[in-house]
Structures are given as structure tokens and as C-alpha cells.
Amino acid sequence: MLKEIDKKRIKKVMNEDPELDELIHKILDDHQMEISQISHEIRNPVTLINSSLQLIEKQHPEVREFNFWSQTMDDMRNLRELLDDLSHYNNGMRLNKTRVDVNFFLHDLAASAKAWGEEQSCHIHVTAGEALPDICADPVKLRQSLTNLLKNAIESSRDNTEISIHAKALTPAEDSGTQLLVEISDNGDGIPSEYLPSLFEPFVTHKQNGTGLGLAVTKRIIEAHGGCITVRSDEGKGTCFSIRMPVYKGEDKNE
């Protein structure tokens, strides 16, 4: 996987040379297709093996008591999650954009995560003004990216953790242009400072059984929308992910 500095170098070269820009786009498209084909070829036997294991367990419930059976099932589950995350990462740049009402979108997102959060003694709340600007986005992909952030906050939470989803418009006076700012923050344990530089790198994980692709997928989707994501965290105090995205313009609509 390319590191962030490599991506910036490639983008610089593509901007300077139209012919190289076309060639690199073709190489990237071919690479994306190859990853999809490889993932598909791996997924087929994995699905068959998983189905066989489930059938064995159904016909012979006693296998649940066998040594390593539960670990084998957990490993299969992790493998399927890895393939899913790989597919999400590979297709993160493909968007089906439409006009999105941010206020409704964020409240609906919080409502979906509420039950899950309450199981972990987390409280999720949204603070967003009624006059938030719309954005032009792929609602499915955007929901996936923000759900990843909520999932991380919930999984790393302690009792009575407060998770906040805050949104506001950044006026041109505060930024180079009007943008939407969405912040997802918590008052949990925070992230060790040494983990922060590689937090969005693919296949880098500090969680047990993590795939290392969740935050990489989120970053890829946000950047595909022309936005950016940053993180700040204090150990013992909490973490805040900040997302900036361009607001909706009539000519951007792709319905």
C-alpha cells in the first residue's frame, strides 16, 4: 500500500503532466480491478468453508466442546471481515452522489448506533444547527465511514462514555471556502500518541483481531468526496475526529 507521502508525490506528477495523469489513472484502475478479482477468488472458498463448518456444528453440536473449535470459528469470522474491509477499501473511491440533508443524516446515524452504544454504556448525542448546508455525497459510503468512527469510539469506551456528533458550517472567513465540519468525539481512554502518525495507514492496527482497514476506509471515502479527516487525542481524556467536506453546489448534483 502507498504511504501518504507517496500519494502526494504521485498527485504532484499527475498535475504537472497530462499524459502521465492518464497513464497513472489507467494503472490505478487496473490495480483496483486486480484487487477485486483476487478478493473474489479468495471469498468463494472462504464462503464454502464457512458454510461447511456451520453445517458440521448444526449436525454435530458436540463439536462446540472440541479444542480450538471456537477459535476456528472466530478466525473464519475475522477472515470474512478482512475480505469485506478490503473490498470497502478498494471501492472507496467509487461514489454514487446525491444531495444529502446533513441534519437528518446525522440524527439518523446516531439513532442507528444508539442501541449498540447503550449495550456498552455509551451515550450518543448530536448537536447540529437547523440551517446546516446540504452536501453532495454518496450516503451509503458516507454512512459507512462515520459508522467506522462511532464503532471505534464505542469499542474503546468505558462506562458512561459520552460520544458527541457535532456539525457546523465553516464560513469563508474561517476557511478558504464554505465547508461542512463534522466532529465525532468521546471522553474515553484516548489513543497513545505513538499510534497517531500511522492511524490511517492500511493494515496497521493496534486492536486485537483488528483488520487495520477500518480507518483507512474512512479516510479513503472522505477524500473521495473532496474532504479531509484529522484526529486529535489525549490519553485518559478522549479522542476527536474532525471531517471537513465541501458543501452542496447545484452543479455538483449527481442524482
Side-chain angles (χ1 to χ4, degrees), residues 39-78:
S39 178
H40 178 74
E41 291 302 318
I42 296 174
R43 188 184 298 275
N44 284 339
V46 167
T47 300
L48 290 173
I49 294 169
N50 186 66
S51 297
S52 296
L53 290 172
Q54 290 178 338
L55 183 60
I56 291 171
E57 184 175 284
K58 183 177 180 180
Q59 294 179 345
H60 303 279
E62 66 274 12
V63 299
R64 296 172 187 162
E65 306 301 323
F66 288 5
N67 289 336
F68 309 117
W69 180 263
S70 61
Q71 183 61 54
T72 299
M73 298 301 286
D74 286 342
D75 289 343
M76 287 300 302
R77 186 159 43 249
N78 292 335

Side-chain angles (χ1 to χ4, degrees), residues 113-151:
K114 183 179 179 181
W116 186 24
E118 288 179 350
E119 288 180 2
Q120 305 295 325
S121 299
C122 296
H123 308 284
I124 303 172
H125 54 90
V126 179
T127 55
E130 292 292 333
L132 282 177
D134 292 345
I135 59 174
C136 187
D138 183 324
V140 175
K141 294 282 181 66
L142 185 60
R143 189 183 189 93
Q144 177 189 353
S145 65
L146 298 187
T147 297
N148 281 343
L149 299 181
L150 287 176
K151 178 182 177 183

Side-chain angles (χ1 to χ4, degrees), residues 132-136 168-170 177-181 245-250 252:
L132 282 177
D134 292 345
I135 59 174
C136 187
K168 69 174 184 177
L170 296 177
T178 303
Q179 290 184 314
L180 175 75
L181 172 67
M245 293 183 63
V247 301
Y248 171 81
K249 297 177 182 178
D252 292 335

